Amino acid sequence: MSASVAVYRNIYTEDRFKQAYGSEESSGGGLWLRDRLAGTCRCSRRACLHLLRERVPIFSWLPTYRLKKWLVGDTVAGLTVGILHIPQGMAFALLTSVAPIFGLYTSFFPVVLYMIFGTGRHVSTGTFAVVSLMTGSVVEQLVPTPLEMNSSSPEAAEFEAQRIGVASAVALLSGIIMLCMFVLQLGFLSTYLSEPIVKAFTSAAAFHVAISQLQSMLGLRLPRHTGTFSLFKTLAVVMENLAHTNTAELLISLVCLAVLVPVKEVNTRYRHRLRTPIPVEILTVIIATFVTYASSLDSSYNIEIVGHIPAGFPRPQPPAFHMFPAIAGDTIAITFVGYAVSVSLAMIYADKHGYSIHPNQELLAHGISNTVSSFFTCFPSSATLATTNILESAGGYTQLSALFTSLVVLIVLLLIGPLFYFLPKAVLACINVTSLRQMFLQFQDLPELWRISKLDFMVWVVTWLSVVVLNVDLGLAIGVGFSMMTVICRTQRAECSVLGRASNTEIYRPVENHNKCYEVPGVKILTYNGPIYYGNRSFFREKMSKLLGLTPEKIRSREKARKAVEKRDRETTVSTVERGIANTSFSSENEFFKSERSESDVQAVLIDCSSVIFVDVAGARLFTQMCTECQKIGVHVYLANCNENVLKILTSSGLMSHMNPQHIFVTVHDAVMYIQQQKEKPPEHTTTVWV
């Protein structure tokens, strides 16, 4: 059964509505600001505790921790992720062009710090392939690998110290940038890396990671290429040196891939049935280390192994501060990528489990993690895709799971690390490649993206091609720039439509999409779905002029006719009385409707501003210009649904000196009713709406 609604109310212009329902404007702006600052700066025990819980979230969630319900899940998930951190930390250290032990350090210190300061309950931090690859490019540029160097010589130790000094400097500068962004409350900047950009970027970076690991998997001792076209340069060098492939390392790589790929597929397909994923990476590392040691493969077949891994904690040491000018540009890109990926992952799982993430607090958490960790020879860290997914699927509930993750890594650092001396680097390269499975599978999103939004599809493709063809940093910049250009193009070419009224309702819809909505006779109702600013003012004017037929010839001819009507008005000295007050400013308003025109002619233009989110000075001047041109041909301009900011700018720009303030209405229907009443001159200004 259909229901009908009858609405009886007065016609509301903006002024009348504010008089009836608006709030009084505050005149004491300085007093309000002073009171707010005083309230913010007020110091009390309660305020200090609130600030402490807000900035150090562990004091907020730990006292309310549900021991019986959450402890088992956090323990199992933390231990599972910790076991995975060991091989991945060492493997991603190779991507960073530093010794594997530094990957273990980066898998420990940031994890503990994020547990204290982070708001993501299901976020696993540590080494991330894309961030490691970008950091490795910086390290290779500043401390390139010499072709001939004895790994046991003093020069090798100095070389490794220089490399980790640069990587730690990148981590420190990245942390400082994040802390500065936190102070300035710039957490919203991560939104400029849209979902298509992040997915395309990580997918393309996965190709760079995979190609960079080919030489380790084939046993080739080649320099690492950086800069533009680095992927193709690496491929070309590998193809040229295929004849020098180490057969033993190639066989090790093939066996590892044959084990890792199927077992990871089993973990993915049966993750809901498995209590914890099969720890295939750590099992592969243990078996490969034992086989290499037992068979002396390193000496018999010249297999490259990890070598000495020192036991114990690293001594604090300052990063290479003097490298800051050289690494500043690359570090900004690394910072934004790491932060965007971390916040995106945190928000995905927060939405899934029904809690909130604070982007600015995440800046503080990752900033402190990178800053403090850099003094313990760590390279940049962030949230990681694979371990975060495993943490959530293994049953983790809170940040306490990071405690058990760090305990596993700590045991390896203190006791077990030296046992990985004979681990082949080819195994770590295989772990790197197989960890990229999720990133490669992001191609599956393309058909759906094409169906939903062609522009977002283009952003994905342009970003992916730019990163693959050029390099990671430049490709990301091009992707962001192209994405911003699509936003500008959307605002420049926004849709402009003519609205029609659905019979016996107050509903107005575009006539081209609704064949049962009809234009109001004599009134052209226009809507523009976008902002009006300097970038699209010409397009807006062109569309409006086309819909209204405002050609220079028509303006001149209609202006002559209007002047003739005004001359006749002056002779008859007709005045309009509104609310008992003589108003001669718009004395020809009623006569305008009675002039000799056909009913099909446009007598009034009503602009629906409900979709105009902002107007700049150029847009406001365009409104004034269009109002003047319409008045020349005897057409009055009305506005409806203006938000307060748009109305304020239009008023400040002087539009009201060219337009009757009583022609600005709360809704389109109010304006239409007013225009029709001006034709008929009813005794009361009342609308009746039947829905």
Side-chain angles (χ1 to χ4, degrees):
M1 183 178 68
S2 61
S4 61
V5 178
V7 179
Y8 300 88
R9 64 172 176 82
N10 292 331
I11 293 176
Y12 283 116
T13 63
E14 283 288 345
D15 289 341
R16 291 174 186 170
F17 188 83
K18 285 181 180 179
Q19 291 173 6
Y21 301 102
S23 59
E24 295 183 4
E25 294 184 2
S26 176
S27 58
L31 182 62
W32 173 83
L33 180 60
R34 187 179 65 185
D35 292 341
R36 184 171 181 180
L37 288 174
T40 304
C41 300
R42 186 177 294 118
C43 184
S44 65
R45 183 174 180 273
R46 184 176 180 180
C48 290
L49 288 175
H50 175 74
L51 182 63
L52 181 64
R53 294 192 187 100
E54 189 177 20
R55 295 299 168 229
V56 189
I58 191 172
F59 292 120
S60 177
W61 59 262
L62 190 59
T64 60
Y65 189 82
R66 301 179 185 178
L67 199 64
K68 294 182 178 180
K69 183 178 180 180
W70 294 342
L71 184 60
V72 175
D74 283 340
T75 304
V76 173
L79 294 175
T80 303
V81 172
I83 293 171
L84 181 61
H85 264 309
I86 298 165
Q88 281 200 356
M90 293 190 291
F92 292 159
L94 295 184
L95 282 177
T96 317
S97 298
V98 296
I101 184 61
F102 301 117
L104 295 178
Y105 296 155
T106 309
S107 299
F108 175 76
F109 291 102
V111 175
V112 176
L113 292 167
Y114 185 83
M115 177 185 68
I116 298 172
F117 295 98
T119 60
R121 301 178 190 175
H122 299 85
V123 172
S124 173
T125 57
T127 56
F128 180 45
V130 177
V131 173
S132 297
L133 177 70
M134 297 174 73
T135 307
S137 298
V138 179
V139 173
E140 287 288 345
Q141 289 175 11
L142 299 177
V143 191
T145 306
L147 294 178
E148 297 293 336
M149 185 175 64
N150 189 351
S151 59
S152 59
S153 64
E155 290 81 6
E158 176 63 24
F159 173 74
E160 286 295 339
Q162 291 178 8
R163 290 200 146 191
I164 192 57
V166 172
S168 299
V170 173
L172 175 60
L173 186 56
S174 176
I176 292 173
I177 292 173
M178 288 189 185
L179 292 176
C180 292
M181 291 172 64
F182 164 74
V183 172
L184 298 174
Q185 298 290 286
L186 298 179
F188 67 91
L189 289 179
S190 64
T191 58
Y192 288 101
L193 293 179
S194 63
E195 183 178 340
I197 290 178
V198 172
K199 289 189 173 182
F201 172 76
T202 52
S203 178
F207 278 87
H208 281 271
V209 173
I211 297 301
S212 69
Q213 298 304 291
L214 283 178
Q215 57 192 53
S216 296
M217 296 169 67
L218 298 174
L220 300 174
R221 313 295 186 261
L222 302 172
R224 182 169 168 178
H225 291 278
T226 60
T228 55
F229 309 109
S230 57
L231 186 143
F232 302 103
K233 292 176 183 177
T234 303
L235 270 178
V237 173
V238 169
M239 295 299 292
E240 291 175 1
N241 291 271
L242 277 179
H244 302 96
T245 299
N246 188 316
T247 307
E249 289 191 276
L250 175 60
L251 290 175
I252 291 173
S253 300
L254 292 175
V255 171
C256 288
L257 291 175
V259 173
L260 290 168
V261 173
V263 176
K264 278 180 168 285
E265 190 66 28
V266 170
N267 284 339
T268 302
R269 291 195 177 187
Y270 300 100
R271 62 180 178 273
H272 299 296
R273 299 183 184 180
L274 296 171
R275 183 65 183 88
T276 60
I278 302 171
V280 62
E281 289 94 347
I282 192 64
L283 292 176
T284 303
V285 166
I286 294 172
I287 294 172
T289 302
F290 175 75
V291 170
T292 304
Y293 169 74
S295 306
S296 300
L297 294 179
D298 58 320
S299 57
S300 302
Y301 296 97
N302 194 27
I303 289 177
E304 192 173 11
I305 59 175
V306 168
H308 175 62
I309 297 180
F313 259 46
R315 287 183 295 181
Q317 63 183 57
F321 294 108
H322 64 280
M323 289 291 186
F324 275 10
I327 65 175
D330 294 298
T331 303
I332 292 174
I334 293 170
T335 302
F336 273 92
V337 170
Y339 174 65
V341 171
S342 299
V343 172
S344 299
L345 278 176
M347 287 184 172
I348 288 172
Y349 289 101
D351 292 341
K352 182 177 180 180
H353 293 276
Y355 60 92
S356 60
I357 290 296
H358 306 289
N360 286 307
Q361 180 62 27
E362 290 294 293
L363 276 174
L364 178 65
H366 289 288
I368 291 176
S369 296
N370 280 290
T371 301
V372 176
S373 300
S374 66
F375 289 92
F376 293 92
T377 59
C378 295
F379 50 84
S381 63
S382 71
T384 64
L385 295 173
T387 55
T388 298
N389 185 34
I390 291 173
L391 179 68
E392 191 263 346
S393 61
Y397 288 100
T398 67
Q399 296 96 314
L400 191 66
S401 59
L403 176 63
F404 302 100
T405 298
S406 58
L407 285 176
V408 173
V409 180
L410 180 62
I411 292 172
V412 174
L413 285 173
L414 297 179
L415 303 173
I416 305 176
L419 299 179
F420 294 120
Y421 181 93
F422 291 97
L423 173 62
K425 288 187 176 181
V427 175
L428 296 179
C430 292
I431 292 173
N432 273 334
V433 173
T434 55
S435 68
L436 304 172
R437 178 183 180 276
Q438 282 182 291
M439 300 184 197
F440 286 128
L441 291 180
Q442 289 179 139
F443 277 100
Q444 296 176 349
D445 298 336
L446 284 178
E448 183 180 6
L449 196 61
W450 172 264
R451 180 175 57 83
I452 296 173
S453 173
K454 305 297 189 296
L455 280 177
D456 285 338
F457 178 87
M458 289 301 299
V459 170
W460 201 104
V461 172
V462 169
T463 304
W464 190 89
L465 289 175
S466 301
V467 174
V468 168
V469 174
L470 299 174
N471 68 352
V472 178
D473 302 342
L474 185 57
L476 176 63
I478 292 175
V480 173
F482 183 78
S483 178
M484 297 300 294
M485 286 298 299
T486 62
V487 174
I488 294 172
C489 289
R490 292 182 196 188
T491 61
Q492 281 188 319
R493 297 290 174 179
E495 182 182 358
C496 187
S497 306
V498 177
L499 299 184
R501 179 184 177 187
S503 301
N504 299 321
T505 72
E506 86 295 357
I507 300 172
Y508 296 81
R509 292 291 185 269
V511 293
E512 62 266 24
N513 300 327
H514 302 81
N515 56 9
K516 293 185 179 180
C517 290
Y518 304 100
E519 292 189 55
V520 178
V523 182
K524 184 72 73 172
I525 308 174
L526 305 176
T527 183
Y528 188 74
N529 300 322
I532 302 172
Y533 65 110
Y534 70 94
N536 67 352
R537 64 187 302 271
S538 299
F539 176 78
F540 173 75
R541 177 183 173 81
E542 178 185 344
K543 294 293 291 186
M544 288 292 185
S545 299
K546 182 178 180 181
L547 292 173
L548 296 174
L550 290 178
T551 61
E553 294 79 10
K554 185 175 182 180
I555 292 175
R556 283 195 297 269
S557 62
R558 295 289 289 274
E559 187 178 8
K560 290 180 180 179
R562 184 185 64 83
K563 288 181 178 180
V565 172
E566 289 179 352
K567 182 179 180 181
R568 188 174 59 190
D569 285 344
R570 285 192 299 270
E571 293 173 354
T572 56
T573 61
V574 177
S575 63
T576 303
V577 179
E578 181 177 330
R579 295 185 178 180
I581 301 174
N583 180 6
T584 58
S585 299
F586 297 90
S587 60
S588 62
E589 182 173 350
N590 192 45
E591 184 64 28
F592 157 69
F593 291 107
K594 297 178 181 178
S595 59
E596 297 177 356
R597 297 193 221 177
S598 65
E599 282 293 318
S600 60
D601 283 349
V602 177
Q603 301 169 358
V605 175
L606 172 57
I607 301 177
D608 176 16
C609 299
S610 58
S611 298
V612 180
I613 56 176
F614 74 87
V615 176
D616 68 353
V617 175
R621 288 175 179 169
L622 179 62
F623 263 102
T624 303
Q625 184 179 355
M626 289 186 61
C627 185
T628 304
E629 290 180 354
C630 287
Q631 286 178 353
K632 287 181 179 179
I633 63 173
V635 175
H636 285 274
V637 178
Y638 300 81
L639 301 180
N641 289 323
C642 293
N643 68 56
E644 290 189 7
N645 291 330
V646 169
L647 192 57
K648 182 179 179 181
I649 294 175
L650 292 177
T651 304
S652 301
S653 66
L655 178 64
M656 295 305 104
S657 61
H658 300 273
M659 179 180 179
N660 189 345
Q662 298 303 315
H663 286 184
I664 303 176
F665 293 87
V666 175
T667 68
V668 171
H669 195 57
D670 283 273
V672 171
M673 291 295 99
Y674 175 83
I675 295 170
Q676 290 181 337
Q677 287 178 355
Q678 288 300 111
K679 290 182 180 181
E680 302 167 2
K681 270 299 180 181
E684 295 184 9
H685 293 291
T686 304
T687 66
T688 302
V689 182
W690 294 88
V691 183

